[in-house]
C-alpha cells in the first residue's frame, strides 16, 4: 500500500491494533469452545492485511480466511505457519499455486473436489456447502453423490466443512434456523470433519451456531455484529480529514457542484480533504439544511453540506468559534464519535463497504504496532 507521510496527507486513517486484539479476545470468548478464525480478505477489510494478520497471530489466531489465491500467497509470506483458507475455490490450472503456497481451497463443486483429489491428494482442503445463501458451494444432492461414496472419501483430505449464513445480522430471521438445519444434512455424511458456520453476527446467535471454528470479520474491525443492540466491539478504525480552508458565505450562497445546498443564513463552511476517490460515499452529500450525515469536529457534530466531490467535501461549522478551527484541524468522518456503522447508514450502505473502499491517499497510522 502506498505510504503517504502525515504532513503530505489531507486525511488520516488510524488503526488501533490494541482495540483489534481486544475485539479478537471478545470474539474468542463469545465463540468458545469453538476456535476463532478470522476473515482477512480485502486487505483485512481495508485495514492492511499484513499488519492485522501479524497482530492477530500474536494474539493466538491460527486460522485465516481470504477470498482470492493471490491474497492467500500474500498472507503466506507474512505467516509461515497459519492455516490459510481460500474461499473462492479454485479454477482449473491453479492447483500448483495453491500447493506451492500451502493454501487450503474451500472447494465448491464436484469437479473441483475431483481435481483436488487427483492433483493434490493428501493435501488438506475444505468443502464449502450451500445451506441457503445460494452463492457458492455444494447442494445436498451433489454432496451426497460425492461423499456417499466411501471410496472417494479415502482420496481426499478434508479438514473443514464450511457454510455461510445469509441473515445472521437479523437474529430473529427464520433463515438462521433453516440454514442450521440444512447444515446438519451435510454434516451427517462427514460427521468427524470439523465444521465452520458462523461469521461475526453468527457468533452472537448462540452456541448452536459456532461449531468448531468461527470466521470473524467485520466485528474484529469494529463493526457492530448485533445491529439494533449496543455494539460489543471497540472502535478500531478512525478516519479524519484535515480542514483545507474555512470560508464565510452569505445567506443564499450555494456550496459545491450543482449548487445543491443553499446557506440559510450567513455561514462558516469548512472544506475537508477527503472525497469519493478516498472512499467517502457520494451519498453522504446533503442538500438539506440539517442533513443526517455529519462529521465530528472541535468537539461537535456538524452536518455535511453540498456534494461530496472527488477530493473534498464540506461541512457547516457556523456555530463553532473561529479559534477552534483552522487549516489542518481534523474532522472525524467515522471513529469513536461517529461509528462506522452510523456513517455507513447515512450513506445508505454498510460498514463493510465503507472500510473496504478506503483509498490509498491517506496517511495510515497504526497504533500499538509491535511488529
Ligand atoms: C467475509 C466472510 C466472512 C466474515 O463475515 P463477517 O460478516 O465480516 O464476519 C465469513 N465467512 C465467509 C464465507 C465470508 O465470505
Amino acid at each position: 500500500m502506498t505510504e503517504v507521510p502525515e504532513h503530505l496527507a489531507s486525511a488520516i486513517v488510524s488503526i488501533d491494533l490494541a482495540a483489534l486484539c481486544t475485539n479478537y479476545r471478545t470474539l474468542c470468548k463469545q465463540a468458545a469452545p469453538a476456535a476463532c478464525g478470522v476473515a482477512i480478505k480485502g486487505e483485512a477489510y481495508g485495514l492492511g492485511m499484513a499488519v492485522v494478520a501479524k497482530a492477530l497471530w500474536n494474539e493466538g489466531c491460527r486460522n485465516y480466511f481470504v477470498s482470492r489465491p493471490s491474497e492467500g500467497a500474500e498472507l503466506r509470506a507474512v505467516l509461515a505457519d497459519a492455516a490459510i483458507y481460500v474461499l473462492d475455490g479454485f479454477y482449473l490450472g491453479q492447483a500448483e499455486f495453491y500447493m506451492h503456497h500451502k493454501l487450503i481451497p474451500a472447494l465448491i463443486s464436484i469437479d473441483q473436489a475431483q481435481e483436488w483429489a487427483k492433483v493434490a491428494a493428501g493435501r488438506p482442503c475444505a468443502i464449502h456447502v450451500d445451506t441457503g445463501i445460494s452463492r457458492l458451494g455444494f447442494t445436498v444432492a451433489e454432496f451426497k453423490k460425492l461423499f456417499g461414496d466411501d471410496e472417494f472419501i479415502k482420496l481426499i483430505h478434508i479438514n473443514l466443512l464450511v457454510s455461510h449464513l445469509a441473515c445472521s445480522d437479523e437474529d430473529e430471521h427464520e433463515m438462521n434456523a433453516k440454514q442450521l438445519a440444512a447444515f446438519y444434512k451435510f454434516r451427517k455424511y462427514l460427521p468427524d470433519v470439523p465444521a465452520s458456520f458462523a461469521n461475526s453476527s453468527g457468533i452472537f446467535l448462540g452456541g448452536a451456531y459456532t461449531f468448531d471454528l468461527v470466521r470473524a470479520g467485520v466485528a474484529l474491525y469494529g463493526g457492530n455484529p448485533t445491529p439494533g443492540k449496543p455494539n460489543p466491539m471497540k472502535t478500531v478504525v478512525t478516519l479524519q480529514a484535515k480542514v483545507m480552508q474555512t470560508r464565510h458565505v452569505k445567506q443564499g450562497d450555494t456550496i459545491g457542484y450543482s449548487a445543491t445546498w443553499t446557506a440559510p443564513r450567513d455561514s462558516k463552511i469548512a472544506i475537508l480533504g477527503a472525497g469519493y476517490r478516498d472512499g467517502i460515499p457520494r451519498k453522504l452529500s446533503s442538500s438539506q439544511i440539517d442533513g443526517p450525515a455529519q462529521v465530528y469536529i472541535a468537539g461537535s457534530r456538524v452536518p455535511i453540506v453540498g456534494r461530496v466531490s472527488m477530493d473534498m467535501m464540506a461541512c457547516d461549522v457556523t456555530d463553532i468559534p473561529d479559534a477552534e478551527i483552522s487549516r489542518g484541524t481534523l474532522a472525524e468522518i467515522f471513529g469513536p464519535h461517529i461509528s462506522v456503522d452510523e456513517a455507513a447508514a447515512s450513506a445508505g450502505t454498510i460498514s463493510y463497504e465503507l472500510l473496504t473502499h478506503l483509498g490509498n491517499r491517506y496517511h495510515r497510522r497504526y497504533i500499538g504496532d509491535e511488529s
Side-chain angles (χ1 to χ4, degrees), residues 250-270:
K250 293 260 175 262
Q251 180 181 14
D253 286 352
T254 64
I255 311 293
Y257 284 122
S258 305
T260 56
W261 189 85
T262 304
R265 54 176 175 169
D266 291 355
S267 303
K268 184 170 56 177
I269 302 297

Side-chain angles (χ1 to χ4, degrees), residues 161-282:
L161 185 66
V162 175
S163 193
H164 194 45
L165 289 157
C167 304
S168 59
D169 57 342
E170 298 173 60
D171 59 359
E172 304 283 314
H173 204 293
E174 60 174 20
M175 275 294 278
N176 295 321
K178 270 194 191 167
Q179 286 194 258
L180 185 61
F183 197 43
Y184 280 104
K185 291 190 189 151
F186 292 96
R187 285 208 76 199
K188 71 175 187 219
Y189 292 98
L190 301 173
D192 301 326
V193 172
S196 177
F197 194 52
N199 64 334
S200 296
S201 293
I203 295 169
F204 291 84
L205 291 176
Y209 287 81
T210 49
F211 292 90
D212 302 292
L213 177 67
V214 299
R215 306 182 304 274
V218 77
L220 277 172
Y221 312 121
N224 188 357
T226 57
K229 300 197 184 113
N231 188 353
M233 315 318 296
K234 284 187 174 293
T235 299
V236 175
V237 187
T238 300
L239 172 59
Q240 295 166 301
K242 291 180 185 171
V243 171
M244 307 166 91
Q245 184 167 43
T246 50
R247 61 191 315 110
H248 293 272
V249 299
K250 293 260 175 262
Q251 180 181 14
D253 286 352
T254 64
I255 311 293
Y257 284 122
S258 305
T260 56
W261 189 85
T262 304
R265 54 176 175 169
D266 291 355
S267 303
K268 184 170 56 177
I269 302 297
I271 309 298
L272 308 176
Y276 58 77
R277 168 65 182 96
D278 305 298
I280 309 297
R282 198 162 164 278

